[in-house]
Every structure is written in C-alpha cells, then in structure tokens.
Amino acid sequence: QAQVAESGGGFVQSGGSLRLSCAASGSSFRLNVMGWYRQAPGKEREVVARISRSGAIYYSDSVKGRFTISRDNARNTVVLQMNNLKPEDTAIYYCNAAPSQDWKVSDFRSWGQGTQVTVSS
C-alpha cells in the first residue's frame, strides 16, 4: 500500500476555490493511478477524481467541469484544483494510489488522515 500525505484543505465560501496537494511514496506499480476521494458526514467514501501515470483521467459527475486533477510523475505528487465550490463539496478529502483504475474504495486497506474541506453557503 502506498503512503500518502494530504494538505491544502480549508474553509471557503460557496463559489470559492481550494487546491489540495498529495505526496505519495511506494513502488511505481502501486502509484500507477493516483486519486482523490472524499467522505461527507453520514455518507460513504466516494471517488472524486483519478489520474493514471499515462494521464488518463476520471472525474465523478458531481465535480466534472469544476475540479481539475493533475500529477507530477517524477515527484509522485497529485494536485486537485477545486473551483466553484459548493456546500455539498464539504467533506474530508483523501488521497490514495492504486495499481489500476479498477480499484474501488473498498479495495484500499489504509488511508491517510485526509484534509477537511468546508464550503459555506
């Protein structure tokens, strides 16, 4: 399992922007797909966006057009730029890495501490 460290969360008003960063360590195999996930109070953890080493990107429908994911393969870092934030984006955001795009949330055995994002209306 990859080791990750997230940063960049905070408090912002609706319509604002935040930038999340994540540094990961592990084998190239384990770091093939890096992604951001989130868990809101009372809800299950869900995928927000993922990006593979080759640049293939997936966004959940709820963030498409507002969030942008990017990565630096040489530094094993991934960034999530979040624009036009909405109150429903409020959650703890987690970074993680997986061997393939097929990995589900339930496939991960460990998570970092995450970073809180709070959007006020």
Side-chain angles (χ1 to χ4, degrees):
Q1 189 85 28
Q3 301 295 315
V4 297
E6 306 98 339
S7 62
F11 180 93
V12 66
Q13 291 186 332
S14 183
S17 298
L18 284 173
R19 183 180 175 91
L20 305 183
S21 298
C22 171
S25 61
S27 66
S28 294
F29 172 74
R30 288 293 182 188
L31 301 183
N32 181 39
V33 178
M34 297 182 70
W36 287 95
Y37 303 78
R38 68 186 180 187
Q39 187 165 16
K43 295 188 177 181
E44 294 186 352
R45 195 166 301 184
E46 62 177 2
V47 61
V48 175
R50 293 188 300 246
I51 182 169
S52 71
R53 187 175 295 277
S54 64
I57 292 175
Y58 166 85
Y59 293 107
S60 70
D61 288 342
S62 61
V63 306
K64 204 172 292 184
R66 300 187 297 121
F67 292 11
T68 302
I69 190 170
S70 60
R71 68 183 284 173
D72 183 328
N73 289 334
R75 299 182 178 183
N76 290 332
T77 57
V78 62
V79 169
L80 186 69
Q81 177 66 42
M82 306 185 294
N83 298 328
N84 191 22
L85 282 159
K86 304 176 181 180
E88 51 263 43
D89 295 317
T90 295
I92 300 175
Y93 283 69
Y94 300 88
C95 171
N96 219 326
S100 72
Q101 294 270 18
D102 295 335
W103 272 48
K104 304 177 184 61
V105 170
S106 58
D107 291 328
F108 291 101
R109 289 179 292 175
S110 65
W111 296 85
Q113 63 180 10
T115 184
Q116 177 70 47
V117 170
T118 303
V119 185
S120 67
S121 58

